[in-house]
Amino acid sequence: MEQNKHVNQDFNIPFYIFEEIVEYVEQTAEGHFRCMQWENIRRLLRLAVVNERLTIEQAKYLERTYYRED
């Protein structure tokens, strides 16, 4: 948790990203390999940063927290 101390963990995730992450996590929990879906989520996270909906740190936090392919 030390590496995330500068990220506000109570930030608002745009709903369109939230929906994609939930679907991705559900499908990977069922054993489905969803690499392409995760790439779409990464693109959405970058778009949210560009549009100032998320900070870079928040986007990286979401990637570290929810990526399941490793």
Side-chain angles (χ1 to χ4, degrees):
M1 192 63 157
E2 182 68 26
Q3 67 186 9
N4 296 327
K5 68 181 181 181
H6 64 282
V7 175
N8 175 5
Q9 294 180 2
D10 295 326
F11 60 90
N12 292 323
I13 302 169
F15 191 71
Y16 59 94
I17 295 174
F18 172 78
E19 286 182 315
E20 291 295 321
I21 289 174
V22 168
E23 182 180 336
Y24 169 79
V25 170
E26 287 175 346
Q27 290 184 7
T28 55
E30 293 173 357
H32 302 288
F33 185 71
R34 304 302 302 176
C35 186
M36 289 304 295
Q37 186 175 10
W38 185 256
E39 288 304 315
N40 290 336
I41 293 169
R42 280 192 174 140
R43 288 182 189 104
L44 290 173
L45 290 171
R46 281 182 256 160
L47 183 61
V49 169
V50 168
N51 290 323
E52 298 179 355
R53 300 284 311 271
L54 295 174
T55 66
I56 293 171
E57 292 81 14
Q58 291 168 334
K60 287 180 182 179
Y61 174 79
L62 290 170
E63 284 193 51
R64 284 191 304 270
T65 303
Y66 295 107
Y67 182 63
R68 305 271 190 247
E69 301 298 327
D70 289 336

